[in-house]
């Protein structure tokens, strides 16, 4: 169809254009503005967070967890900082997926883990720094790029501490000491730079010699472990034998002391008894002598089986009295 014929049949000026209802224009636009106003004026802070409110880029206030309001349309902006959550930074490795079988990688992290010890040996040190944000204002505004700065400080402190120790201390007996000292020095730096970070723990995740010398270091570690095992075994035997010997020696000493005390008391008693007899003897010698004689016979005679009494005044052929025969005849008569 020619264009002129189309224009003659259809007049575009006469086609009606649909118009919006007056009610929609009257209430829709204000309602949309009101909805945007409400949405941009309300925000929620999580239970582990704190909200830092900025008004036109300037710090205004901090808000606790819960529902809060602010000026809309970007006049006030809220930055949420997780102050109750434990955060961590990994050095020398990176966790790809955490779980029962966590996956790690060291790609791109080799430079920060390779260190020089105090005796000019190399060691590969992988560590984790666990920390919390305790001051949201300092964390956001005192230091620029605080996370990058914190990583640089951690690496510098670890290199300094490792550089003051031998490779054997770093690999074996001094690992916990290194971790404790790194935590202390790193916290001092965080306080000095006002980062708002509290270092909770530094863990040396893995400390190994470089791969070319790893077999030799493994032999050294095995020898060290064997040494510790023998020392612990000897200490165990020592703890068994020495206390028992000390107990037996103490028992023997106590028994000897008791025997000595008993003998001493007996000697003192005998001495006191003798002195008492002596005093009585000095007063009446004959009476005391006779009394001692009779008391001695009273103790001895009951233990003698055969008793023979000799009378000096008897003039017969056998001047003796056999008490045993007399007793036997008396038994027969009975």
């Amino acid at each position: 169809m020619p264009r002129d014929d189309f224009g003659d049949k259809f007049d575009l000026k006469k086609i009606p254009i649909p118009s919006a209802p007056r009610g929609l224009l009257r209430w829709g636009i204000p309602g949309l503005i009101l909805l945007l106003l409400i949405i941009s004026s309300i925000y929620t802070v999580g239970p582990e967070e704190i909200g830092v409110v900025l008004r036109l880029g300037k710090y205004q206030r901090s808000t606790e967890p819960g529902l809060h309001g602010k000026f809309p349309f970007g006049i006030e902006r809220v930055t949420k900082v997780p102050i109750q959550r434990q955060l961590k930074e990994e050095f020398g490795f990176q966790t790809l997926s955490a779980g029962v079988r966590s996956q790690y990688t060291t790609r791109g992290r080799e430079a920060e883990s390779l260190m020089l010890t105090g005796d000019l040996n190399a060691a590969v040190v992988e560590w984790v720094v666990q920390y919390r944000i305790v001051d949201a204002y300092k964390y956001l505004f005192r230091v620029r790029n605080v996370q990058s700065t914190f990583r640089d400080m951690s690496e510098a402190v670890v290199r300094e501490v490792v550089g003051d120790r031998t490779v054997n201390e770093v690999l074996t007996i001094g690992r916990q000491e290194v971790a404790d000292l790194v935590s202390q020095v790193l916290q001092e730096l965080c306080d000095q730079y006002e980062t708002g970070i509290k270092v909770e723990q530094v863990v040396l995740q893995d400390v190994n010699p470089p791969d070319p010398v790893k077999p030799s270091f493994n032999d050294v570690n095995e020898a060290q472990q064997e040494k510790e095992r023998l020392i612990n075994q000897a200490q165990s035997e020592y703890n068994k034998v020495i206390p028992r010997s000390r107990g037996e020696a103490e028992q023997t000493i106590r028994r000897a002391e008791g025997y000595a005390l008993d003998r001493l008391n007996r000697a003192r008693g005998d001495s006191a008894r003798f002195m008492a007899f002596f005093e009585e003897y000095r007063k009446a010698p004959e009476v005391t002598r006779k009394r001692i004689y009779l008391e001695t016979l009273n103790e001895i005679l009951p233990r003698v089986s055969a008793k023979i009494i000799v009378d000096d005044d008897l003039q017969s052929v056998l001047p003796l009295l056999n008490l045993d025969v007399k007793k036997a005849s008396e038994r027969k008569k009975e």
Side-chain angles (χ1 to χ4, degrees):
M1 179 182 296
R3 187 173 181 181
D4 295 339
D5 296 340
F6 179 81
D8 294 339
K9 292 184 178 181
F10 298 97
D11 190 359
L12 297 178
K13 294 180 180 180
K14 296 180 179 181
I15 298 176
I17 299 175
S19 59
R22 294 183 179 181
L24 179 62
L25 295 176
R26 180 180 300 176
W27 301 106
I29 295 177
L32 180 60
I33 295 174
L34 180 61
L35 180 61
L36 294 176
L37 179 65
I38 294 174
I39 292 175
S40 61
S41 300
I42 298 175
Y43 66 96
T44 303
V45 179
E48 297 181 350
E49 301 172 334
I50 189 172
V52 179
V53 181
L54 304 179
R55 182 179 299 171
L56 299 178
K58 182 180 180 181
Y59 173 77
Q60 188 65 26
R61 63 186 180 277
S62 298
T63 56
E64 298 296 328
L67 187 65
H68 302 277
K70 62 182 180 66
F71 288 150
F73 304 121
I75 299 176
E76 287 187 345
R77 297 182 180 274
V78 179
T79 302
K80 300 175 183 179
V81 181
I83 62 172
Q84 298 295 332
R85 189 184 310 159
Q86 188 181 68
L87 307 174
K88 70 175 182 177
E89 290 291 336
E90 299 172 340
F91 298 85
F93 70 100
Q94 183 180 3
T95 303
L96 298 178
S97 62
V100 179
R101 293 184 177 180
S102 300
Q103 296 181 357
Y104 306 95
T105 181
T106 59
R107 183 176 300 176
R109 301 291 183 93
E110 295 85 357
E112 64 184 11
S113 62
L114 185 61
M115 300 185 181
L116 190 66
T117 60
D119 54 355
L120 302 181
N121 285 304
V124 178
V125 182
E126 299 175 358
W127 74 98
V128 176
V129 179
Q130 298 175 351
Y131 65 96
R132 292 182 187 273
I133 301 172
V134 295
D135 193 325
Y137 177 80
K138 291 181 179 180
Y139 182 79
L140 292 177
F141 304 112
R142 289 296 187 184
V143 179
R144 182 178 298 176
N145 297 327
V146 62
Q147 187 173 4
S148 177
T149 303
F150 182 69
R151 289 188 62 88
D152 293 340
M153 289 192 301
S154 301
E155 183 177 349
V157 171
V158 172
R159 290 187 181 278
E160 178 184 0
V161 174
V162 171
D164 291 337
R165 282 159 178 77
T166 64
V167 66
N168 290 329
E169 291 177 338
V170 176
L171 293 176
T172 55
I173 59 176
R175 295 182 58 173
Q176 187 59 44
E177 181 184 357
V178 170
D180 295 339
L181 185 57
V182 168
S183 178
Q184 178 183 350
V185 177
L186 183 58
Q187 184 62 60
E188 293 175 356
L189 281 179
C190 289
D191 296 339
Q192 180 180 352
Y193 284 97
E194 297 183 350
T195 59
I197 292 176
K198 178 184 178 182
V199 179
E200 293 194 337
Q201 189 178 15
V202 175
V203 180
L204 296 184
Q205 191 77 9
D206 196 7
V207 181
N208 290 312
D211 291 337
V213 295
K214 186 175 291 185
S216 299
F217 274 93
N218 290 337
D219 294 339
V220 173
N221 289 335
E222 291 177 0
Q224 184 70 25
Q225 292 174 1
E226 182 66 17
K227 175 185 174 182
E228 294 294 332
R229 187 185 67 81
L230 294 176
I231 291 175
N232 293 334
Q233 183 178 355
Q235 187 68 31
S236 176
E237 292 296 328
Y238 174 86
N239 293 334
K240 291 180 181 178
V241 175
I242 297 302
R244 183 171 64 248
S245 301
R246 288 176 178 172
E248 293 175 355
E250 190 71 19
Q251 183 179 4
T252 303
I253 292 173
R254 294 291 177 265
R255 190 184 301 116
E257 290 177 350
Y259 178 76
L261 184 61
D262 179 69
R263 295 294 297 174
L264 181 61
N265 291 334
R266 287 176 179 270
R268 288 176 178 174
D270 293 342
S271 175
R273 182 169 174 270
F274 177 79
M275 293 302 297
F277 275 126
F278 180 71
E279 291 295 331
E280 295 296 329
Y281 181 79
R282 291 177 60 185
K283 295 177 182 178
E286 293 298 330
V287 175
T288 304
R289 185 184 299 112
K290 187 174 182 179
R291 191 183 107 189
I292 294 174
Y293 175 74
L294 293 176
E295 289 178 354
T296 304
L297 289 179
N298 190 31
E299 293 179 1
I300 295 175
L301 288 178
R303 292 179 287 179
V304 177
S305 58
K307 304 178 184 65
I308 299 175
I309 299 176
V310 179
D311 190 357
D312 294 337
D313 297 333
L314 187 63
Q315 299 299 324
S316 62
V317 179
L318 295 175
L320 58 88
L321 176 61
N322 192 346
L323 297 179
D324 292 338
V325 175
K326 185 177 180 181
K327 288 182 180 180
S329 61
E330 289 178 356
R331 290 193 189 115
K332 289 180 180 180
K333 290 179 180 180
E334 291 177 356

